[in-house]
Amino acid sequence: MSHQEGSTDGLPDLGTESLLSSPEEQSGAAVATVASSGTEMAAAEPSTGDGGDTRDGGFPNDASTENQDTDLESSSEDVELESVEDFQHFFVSGEGLFYYPLVGEEATEREEEEEEMEEEEGEEEEEQPRVCPRCGGANHEQCLLEEDRALEEWISSETSALPRPRWQVLTALRQRQLGSSARFVYEACGARAFVQRFCLQGLLGGHDGSVSTVHFNQRGTRLASSGDDLRVIVWDWVRQKPVLNFESGHDINVIQAKFFPNCGDSIMAMCGHDGQVRVAELINASYCENTRCVARHRGPAHELALEPDSPYKFLTSGEDAVVFTIDLRQDRPASKVVVTREKDKKVGLYTISMNPANIYQFAVGGHDHFVRIYDQRRIDVKENNGVLKKFTPHHLVNCDFSVSITCIVYSHDGTELLASYNDEDIYLFNSSDSDGAQYVKRYKGHRNNATIKCVNFYGPRSEFVVSGSDCGHIFFWEKSSCQIIQFMEGDRGGIVNCLEPHPYLPVLATSGLDQHVKIWTPTAKAATELTGLKDVIKKNKQERDEDNLHRIDPFDNHVLRFFMRHLAQRGRHPGWRGHGAEFPNEELGESSSRSDTSEEEGQDRVQCLPS
């Protein structure tokens, strides 16, 4: 794919060829747009007298609405005369068997009938006052006002005023010119003004199906993606063209594919819905020599946790409740670390994250409400099933419906831990707190129901929290205040699942149920207006509450139900820029059957023959 072919009409030119040079020089293109006008940057940070910015986290007055046109379709019934009695009945009724109306006569009669029906319906509406389906009364407007007031109280109940911006563009540029600031890019990536200017920069299209994973290499020059088509594509994301496209070796969709650090992009780890954990051997990220299976879970394997700075060690977790440690230096790379249990019952795992400040500690989450932290040096299954400590929001301990954790991630220094709950909110825990400690922050507004959705920190100091949503939007929260500061449409008619920040530039890569990887950069001329945020949050909250009231099926069936709905509505909801996502039906059945066997007893298979 050439550079012209990979570009998208209507998108601003990134102009970051220098991104391939040193990190400090790479900041020029990303900062140039904002730095050209200090006034514009200052305008993006409106503050109140008390030092807090209330615009970003509040609701705009002008909410966008969409007009839906309904086409009236008329149909005529064909008369079928299968017997003499039918013919006699039709003949006696006085209707002609071969009656053809004059041109325009049929349409005129139909219009007259429709006008009569509309007049009758209008009379009925005048006789019967409008009844609100929620309150059961006639004061519908008052009910809506009360709902809006309750929603705003719910959103603002655990938020605070935005702090004053730490990073000032004019001051930072002056210090950089004088040579007194050696961390210009580092500080700029955590600037709120940049986050508020994020907009779609480019689309990377090459997959035949949804994209379930995106991952930058250590230097940030390459981006790996994979998904339903079982292929892994390595992108030169700046030029928007693939440099490598190879078969993963998986039987069902690839869930994660990650570059190892400190290996010259020569090794990549993958896991998938077939339970396989595979390793690809690459040559300069431009040629795949081979892939081999190093472990297999008895159920889908959803996530990998790479050891920081290690080119050969990582952890995996799966719905069989098993955590494996993989050491590629060993003849038998995989060994079992722990089987996650609550009392005597296995707990299937959807996510695992390694503490970057203490590589012996890792956290897992899955099909219950506990965040479990283990220490590989102190796992004793006879004592608390080997768990070092557990966290959970206290109100979820005895709730009426089951909840699951779809994603866990440590902050940059390992002091904090994010957990995204299925059809609940995102919670922040202090990893150093004692066992059973309550959460310290709560992030609301999105919806995490239909898929196993990721959450992530953004910024060099983990200043922001970012997540996708079932509504197709990307949400950014300022971490300390829990206020929404950025709100972007990430997938039209679909879902945003995966979000990957660039290792040192203000760039974000996302993927979801469509066929494209999207690149976001802070190149907008002004801060994004949060238009329509109130309506989206309201819809997400109402749908979540309704599902919780009528919840019957376990979380494992949510994915299947969503895919069926998405397939049914795909004709009415075109994909991004006309490219709809495709989801092979045969994969759903295979994935479900493998999930059902994840709780089976027996010896776990940890070693695969080379393929």
Side-chain angles (χ1 to χ4, degrees):
M1 180 186 302
S2 65
H3 176 57
Q4 288 78 8
E5 293 172 347
S7 63
T8 304
D9 295 336
L11 297 175
D13 187 12
L14 182 61
T16 53
E17 297 295 333
S18 60
L19 290 174
L20 300 179
S21 59
S22 65
E24 194 64 28
E25 293 177 354
Q26 290 167 349
S27 63
V31 178
T33 303
V34 183
S36 61
S37 173
T39 305
E40 289 185 4
M41 185 65 71
E45 308 283 357
S47 59
T48 58
D50 59 355
D53 186 348
T54 59
R55 178 191 67 81
D56 301 278
F59 298 124
N61 295 328
D62 298 330
S64 62
T65 58
E66 297 181 356
N67 296 327
Q68 299 180 350
D69 297 330
T70 304
D71 297 331
L72 296 177
E73 298 181 356
S74 59
S75 61
S76 58
E77 297 181 354
D78 296 331
V79 181
E80 297 183 1
L81 305 179
E82 298 180 353
S83 63
V84 177
E85 289 78 11
D86 291 338
F87 177 81
Q88 292 177 349
H89 173 75
F90 185 80
F91 182 79
V92 172
S93 65
E95 297 177 307
L97 182 60
F98 302 103
Y99 169 70
Y100 294 94
L102 298 176
V103 177
E105 182 178 346
E106 183 180 7
T108 303
E109 293 177 356
R110 187 182 299 110
E111 291 175 357
E112 293 175 355
E113 292 176 359
E114 290 175 354
E115 290 177 357
E116 293 177 359
M117 294 176 62
E118 290 176 357
E119 292 176 358
E120 294 176 358
E121 292 176 357
E123 294 175 358
E124 293 177 359
E125 292 178 357
E126 293 177 358
E127 296 174 358
Q128 298 180 359
R130 185 177 183 182
V131 179
C132 177
R134 293 186 177 87
C135 65
N139 196 346
H140 183 64
E141 295 182 358
Q142 182 64 27
C143 180
L144 292 178
L145 291 176
E146 293 177 357
E147 286 181 354
D148 292 343
R149 190 180 303 112
L151 179 68
E152 293 181 8
E153 292 177 355
W154 175 75
I155 285 291
S156 60
S157 61
E158 299 183 59
T159 62
S160 58
L162 283 170
R164 288 187 177 275
R166 295 185 300 103
W167 189 80
Q168 300 292 336
V169 59
L170 295 180
T171 302
L173 286 174
R174 188 180 300 111
Q175 291 176 351
R176 186 189 189 195
Q177 291 174 349
L178 296 175
S180 59
S181 175
R183 309 183 75 186
F184 179 82
V185 177
Y186 181 87
E187 298 290 343
C189 288
R192 189 192 312 162
F194 275 5
V195 174
Q196 291 173 327
R197 281 171 164 76
F198 265 121
C199 64
L200 183 64
Q201 183 66 48
L203 299 174
L204 308 180
H207 286 285
D208 185 15
S210 61
V211 182
S212 56
T213 177
V214 288
H215 185 254
F216 284 105
N217 65 348
Q218 188 176 19
R219 296 182 299 162
T221 57
R222 296 289 184 263
L223 179 70
S225 64
S226 189
D228 288 352
D229 59 2
L230 309 181
R231 303 193 65 85
V232 178
I233 300 180
V234 178
W235 300 90
D236 181 343
W237 64 273
V238 176
R239 297 180 175 86
Q240 302 183 16
K241 66 178 183 179
V243 296
L244 178 61
N245 188 329
F246 66 93
E247 290 282 353
S248 65
H250 285 274
D251 299 326
I252 313 178
N253 64 304
V254 183
I255 300 178
Q256 277 205 333
K258 293 185 175 183
F259 288 103
F260 275 85
N262 298 326
C263 67
D265 302 333
S266 61
I267 306 175
M268 182 181 292
M270 303 170 292
C271 63
H273 241 285
D274 55 4
Q276 291 189 69
V277 180
R278 302 186 68 87
V279 172
E281 298 178 3
L282 312 178
I283 299 178
N284 297 326
S286 59
Y287 175 76
C288 179
E289 194 169 18
N290 73 315
T291 67
R292 61 190 178 99
C293 178
V294 296
R296 184 189 292 271
H297 289 270
R298 296 176 62 88
H302 290 279
E303 193 161 2
L304 309 166
L306 302 181
E307 183 175 307
D309 301 325
S310 173
Y312 42 76
K313 292 187 67 176
F314 63 102
L315 300 174
T316 72
S317 64
E319 289 191 30
D320 56 357
V322 176
V323 175
F324 287 134
T325 179
I326 312 292
D327 190 339
L328 300 180
R329 297 170 297 180
Q330 306 297 324
D331 294 334
R332 297 179 61 86
S335 59
K336 187 191 305 183
V337 177
V338 69
V339 178
T340 307
R341 298 178 184 271
E342 181 62 26
K343 298 180 179 178
D344 295 329
K345 183 180 179 182
K346 289 184 178 182
V347 179
L349 300 179
Y350 300 130
T351 178
I352 184 170
S353 181
M354 187 178 295
N355 189 336
N358 184 351
I359 60 175
Y360 296 104
Q361 290 187 3
F362 63 91
V364 297
H367 206 185
D368 68 0
H369 51 79
F370 287 113
V371 175
R372 293 174 174 83
I373 297 179
Y374 295 89
D375 191 317
Q376 298 184 59
R377 302 164 297 183
R378 302 168 54 187
I379 294 180
D380 184 2
V381 294
K382 297 181 180 180
E383 183 179 351
N384 198 23
N385 287 320
V387 178
L388 180 65
K389 48 188 167 183
K390 296 190 296 187
F391 300 139
T392 188
H394 293 173
H395 65 277
L396 297 181
V397 175
N398 297 315
C399 62
D400 297 332
F401 54 88
S402 61
V403 293
S404 301
I405 300 175
T406 64
C407 186
I408 287 176
V409 61
Y410 275 100
S411 60
H412 72 292
D413 56 2
T415 60
E416 296 171 322
L417 198 60
L418 273 178
S420 181
Y421 282 77
N422 167 249
D423 236 3
E424 244 280 343
D425 297 322
I426 299 170
Y427 297 90
L428 182 72
F429 300 91
N430 285 331
S431 60
S432 59
D433 285 348
S434 59
D435 184 32
Q438 176 68 305
Y439 66 90
V440 294
K441 297 291 181 180
R442 183 177 183 177
Y443 307 96
K444 308 174 183 178
H446 80 308
R447 193 172 188 218
N448 177 8
N449 171 263
T451 57
I452 298 178
K453 205 165 279 78
C454 295
V455 67
N456 214 333
F457 287 101
Y458 180 84
R461 296 191 182 96
S462 304
E463 293 92 342
F464 306 97
V465 174
V466 58
S467 175
S469 177
D470 288 357
C471 61
H473 290 85
I474 301 169
F475 290 78
F476 275 88
W477 294 266
E478 198 278 326
K479 186 181 68 175
S480 62
S481 65
C482 303
Q483 290 206 39
I484 298 173
I485 63 165
Q486 178 61 286
F487 169 72
M488 306 178 297
E489 185 180 26
D491 191 350
R492 296 176 183 173
I495 286 179
V496 179
N497 288 328
C498 188
L499 309 103
E500 175 74 2
H502 192 276
Y504 55 81
L505 287 177
V507 175
L508 180 72
T510 65
S511 66
L513 293 185
D514 63 358
Q515 300 172 338
H516 294 93
V517 176
K518 300 179 180 67
I519 304 297
W520 307 82
T521 58
T523 53
K525 294 182 179 180
T528 303
E529 295 292 337
L530 305 181
T531 305
L533 176 61
K534 177 180 177 181
D535 294 335
V536 171
I537 293 179
K538 182 177 181 180
K539 182 180 179 182
N540 290 340
K541 183 68 165 59
Q542 289 176 347
E543 290 179 352
R544 191 176 87 176
D545 293 342
E546 291 174 0
D547 281 0
N548 288 338
L549 290 175
H550 304 92
R551 181 175 292 190
I552 299 176
D553 298 328
F555 172 72
D556 294 324
N557 291 329
H558 280 303
V559 177
L560 180 60
R561 296 208 313 271
F562 169 78
F563 273 103
M564 298 306 295
R565 291 199 306 267
H566 190 84
L567 287 171
Q569 298 176 358
R570 194 173 65 188
R572 291 177 291 173
H573 298 281
W576 196 277
R577 296 185 184 273
H579 296 279
E582 297 180 1
F583 312 102
N585 293 331
E586 62 271 16
E587 293 182 8
L588 298 176
E590 293 177 7
S591 174
S592 301
S593 64
R594 291 179 184 270
S595 300
D596 295 338
T597 63
S598 63
E599 296 293 332
E600 293 180 358
E601 299 293 338
Q603 184 177 4
D604 297 292
R605 183 180 179 182
V606 299
Q607 180 67 37
C608 295
L609 295 176
S611 57

